[in-house]
């Protein structure tokens, strides 16, 4: 994969960074549009953003990667960790040889600290949590272009609401745009790609932000292979942009509980749902249902007016949460709900869904065997999930196979396999 024709142009909407990306899957012009802020000047001499954005796409095509411009030595060195993680999480991915035209000159970091902000529970908490002296946020960063199901009207409303929450928390909101998803859509799960894509966006703000915070998805006891992780994005930091993966001390339920306790005024604007083209929440997808249960546990569902005011227990009973991290989220919700009244009924529905996910009834089991016999799954075990869906699913199925069948899901080759070591992923500078 080759990244060339790298340029920056000043437009009425901000600085437009573009590069041509050519590889086995085709050619496109990759764009990051970065708004101007507070008289700061964009640094233009480092193509680290384009390197971060194209690592996984290059690996998906089985290609090496050449960025035809100088790239920060820090990003070039750190990307070894990232490509090794991707290759460990999916054995079909080979760490690419990464080359550039040389190291970019070091520039002083921008004065701002940005935080990616979507109005989800993770980014709401990151926007308001108390931080050590000298690390306070100066801006929220609401990225346009990462939600392909959104119509122009929904996008405009999302931006308006992000700015409104920014006013409530006392932080200006900047709205960059990118088409980075075009590199991976249809080739892998967006969950596998989104952390590196956000890191790329952060690097594109070089000169404006010296530090960019990416809100965490996983709590410390839930960390499994996943496309946004404390073991990924920070390694892509450059000489002038530090990328932080935010605290992993709270799980989903804890984050909702913290918002309900400390910032109930933000709950009407909580937006976790990406299932439909709308600026509020559908109330039916797994993400919506989990958040509604956490809100009910915190006695705050009525305040979160972007959700329906009642939890459809039948929908919860029908869930078959997987992979394992998702089951952990539901266990946390069940624990927090208690056993009295309406909350107790919600807890029972969750426990039934969790039980049925592991031990389904005869009809579901018969269907799973039917799918197994038709070759649609490689294992009839109820908790088996298609490893092709992404890093997290592959890990889940591998662990399940080891625990249930005493052998890995990925067959062991008759020949000795060369262990994957970091040295194989070492980039070579031209
Ligand atoms: Zn939803």
């Amino acid at each position: 994969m080759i990244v060339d024709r790298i340029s920056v142009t000043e437009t009425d909407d901000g600085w437009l960074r573009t590069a041509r990306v050519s590889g086995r899957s085709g050619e496109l012009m990759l764009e990051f549009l970065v708004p101007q802020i507070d008289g700061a000047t964009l640094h233009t001499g480092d193509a680290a953003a384009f390197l971060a954005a194209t690592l996984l796409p290059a690996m998906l095509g089985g290609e090496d990667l050449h960025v035809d411009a100088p790239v920060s030595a820090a990003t070039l060195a750190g990307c070894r960790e990232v490509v090794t993680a991707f290759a460990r999480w999916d054995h079909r991915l080979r760490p690419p040889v990464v080359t550039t035209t040389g190291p970019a000159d070091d520039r002083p970091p921008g004065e701002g600290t940005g935080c990616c902000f979507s109005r989800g529970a993770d980014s709401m908490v990151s926007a308001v949590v108390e931080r050590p002296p000298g690390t306070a946020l100066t801006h929220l960063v609401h990225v346009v272009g990462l939600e392909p199901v959104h119509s122009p009207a929904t996008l405009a409303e999302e931006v308006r609401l992000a700015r409104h929450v920014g006013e409530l928390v006392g932080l200006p909101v900047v709205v960059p745009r990118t088409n980075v998803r075009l590199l991976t859509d249809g080739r892998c799960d967006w969950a596998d790609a989104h952390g590196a894509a956000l890191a790329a966006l952060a690097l594109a703000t070089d000169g404006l932000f010296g530090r960019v915070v990416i809100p965490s998805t996983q709590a410390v006891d839930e960390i499994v292979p996943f496309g946004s992780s404390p073991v990924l994005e920070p390694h892509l930091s450059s000489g002038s942009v530090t990328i932080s993966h935010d605290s992993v001390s709270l799980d989903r339920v804890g984050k909702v509980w913290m918002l309900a306790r400390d910032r109930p005024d933000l709950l009407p604007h909580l937006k976790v749902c990406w299932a439909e083209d709308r600026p509020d929440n559908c109330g039916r997808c797994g993400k919506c249902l989990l958040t509604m249960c956490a809100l009910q546990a915190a006695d705050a569902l009525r305040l979160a007016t972007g959700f329906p005011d009642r939890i459809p227990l039948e929908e919860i009973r029908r869930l078959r949460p997987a992979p394992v991290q998702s089951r952990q989220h539901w266990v946390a919700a069940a624990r927090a709900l208690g056993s009295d009244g309406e909350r107790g009924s919600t807890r029972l529905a969750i426990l039934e869904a969790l039980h049925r996910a592991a031990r389904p009834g005869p009809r579901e089991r018969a269907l799973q065997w039917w799918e197994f016999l038709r070759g649609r799954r490689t294992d009839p075990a109820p908790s088996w999930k298609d490893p092709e869906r992404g890093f997290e699913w592959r890990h889940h199925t591998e662990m399940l196979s080891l625990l249930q069948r005493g052998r890995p899901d990925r067959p062991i080759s008759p020949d000795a396999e060369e262990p994957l070591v970091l040295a194989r992923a070492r980039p070579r500078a031209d």
Side-chain angles (χ1 to χ4, degrees):
M1 179 171 276
I2 294 174
V3 181
D4 61 2
R5 296 195 190 170
I6 294 166
S7 72
V8 183
T9 42
E10 209 166 337
T11 73
D12 290 344
D13 298 323
W15 289 284
L16 181 64
R17 293 186 189 267
T18 57
R20 181 175 68 174
V21 180
S22 323
R24 284 189 188 138
S25 64
E27 181 181 308
L28 65 83
M29 291 305 292
L30 177 58
E31 297 180 358
F32 297 100
L33 178 68
V34 183
Q36 304 189 355
I37 56 165
D38 305 338
T41 303
L42 199 75
H43 293 169
T44 58
D46 185 351
F50 294 110
L51 182 143
T54 49
L55 287 171
L56 182 59
M59 293 175 79
L60 291 167
E63 300 171 80
D64 290 328
L65 176 62
H66 177 69
V67 179
D68 194 32
V71 169
S72 163
T75 307
L76 192 61
C79 82
R80 289 188 292 156
E81 294 279 347
V82 174
V83 296
T84 306
F86 289 151
R88 294 194 74 92
W89 294 346
D90 184 341
H91 68 279
R92 298 168 305 176
L93 301 179
R94 179 180 65 82
V97 174
V98 181
T99 52
T100 70
T101 61
D105 292 337
D106 274 341
R107 302 284 297 266
E111 289 183 2
T113 295
C115 177
C116 297
F117 183 72
S118 66
R119 289 193 294 125
D122 301 328
S123 62
M124 283 276 202
V125 168
S126 286
V128 300
V129 79
E130 209 173 305
R131 296 181 185 277
T135 63
L137 304 180
T138 61
H139 292 79
L140 299 178
V141 181
H142 180 78
V143 188
V144 168
L146 304 184
E147 301 306 330
V149 303
H150 283 175
S151 63
T154 304
L155 280 178
E157 182 63 0
E158 288 278 351
V159 170
R160 187 188 72 79
L161 290 167
R163 290 194 196 282
H164 177 63
V165 176
E167 282 168 23
L168 294 176
V169 304
L171 291 171
V173 177
V174 291
V175 184
R177 292 171 182 266
T178 179
N179 63 352
V180 68
R181 271 193 82 144
L182 294 178
L183 290 171
T184 49
D185 274 355
R187 305 179 70 199
C188 73
D189 190 339
W190 174 237
D192 289 358
H194 76 291
L198 288 175
L201 193 283
L203 292 165
T205 68
D206 188 7
L208 313 186
F209 298 130
R211 195 164 82 90
V212 176
V213 175
I214 297 178
S216 64
T217 304
Q218 306 179 325
V220 64
D221 57 333
E222 300 167 345
I223 292 173
V224 290
F226 190 65
S228 175
S229 167
V231 304
L232 289 182
E233 296 97 279
H235 290 297
L236 294 169
S237 298
S238 70
S240 48
V241 181
T242 300
I243 303 171
S244 300
H245 187 94
D246 211 2
S247 166
V248 290
S249 62
L250 290 175
D251 64 11
R252 273 297 155 85
V253 174
K255 285 172 180 167
V256 170
W257 188 86
M258 198 204 104
L259 288 171
R261 184 194 65 184
D262 296 345
R263 291 303 303 260
D265 60 315
L266 301 182
L267 290 180
H269 309 294
L270 189 60
K271 161 73 189 280
V272 303
C273 180
W274 302 115
E276 296 182 4
D277 178 21
R278 55 194 294 166
D280 59 352
N281 302 278
C282 79
R284 293 181 303 277
C285 71
K287 216 172 165 196
C288 278
L289 292 170
L290 176 69
T291 307
M292 291 167 74
C293 292
L295 285 161
Q296 188 183 49
D299 197 19
L301 182 54
R302 74 203 140 73
L303 300 176
T305 49
F307 293 84
D309 51 10
R310 295 196 73 80
I311 298 177
L313 296 186
E314 267 315 303
E315 298 285 340
I316 292 184
R317 285 191 199 95
R318 270 200 286 271
L319 291 171
R320 297 292 177 264
V324 69
Q325 185 207 118
S326 165
R327 297 188 192 192
Q328 286 180 288
H329 291 160
W330 283 103
V331 169
R335 286 188 197 282
L337 279 159
S339 48
D340 295 335
E342 218 175 317
R343 290 191 225 174
S345 304
T346 307
R347 173 191 263 189
L348 286 177
I350 293 172
L351 294 179
E352 183 178 332
L354 283 168
H355 180 75
R356 288 293 173 208
R359 301 201 170 278
R363 265 189 67 189
E364 266 178 82
R365 287 234 49 161
L367 189 64
Q368 286 161 348
W369 269 96
W370 174 248
E371 288 179 346
F372 171 62
L373 295 171
R374 295 289 302 270
R376 290 187 195 137
R377 46 159 69 206
T378 59
D379 194 313
S383 291
W384 181 90
K385 294 293 162 189
D386 187 355
E388 300 297 318
R389 284 185 61 170
F391 296 141
E392 198 184 359
W393 308 82
R394 186 168 292 281
H395 171 77
H396 168 96
T397 296
E398 184 77 357
M399 294 302 109
L400 178 82
S401 185
L402 273 174
L403 293 170
Q404 284 207 329
R405 299 191 294 179
R407 56 188 161 85
D409 186 63
R410 177 163 73 92
I412 295 178
S413 158
D415 304 318
E417 294 177 39
E418 184 192 345
L420 180 69
V421 293
L422 193 61
R424 276 188 63 195
R426 179 167 299 140
R428 248 179 0 221
D430 271 351

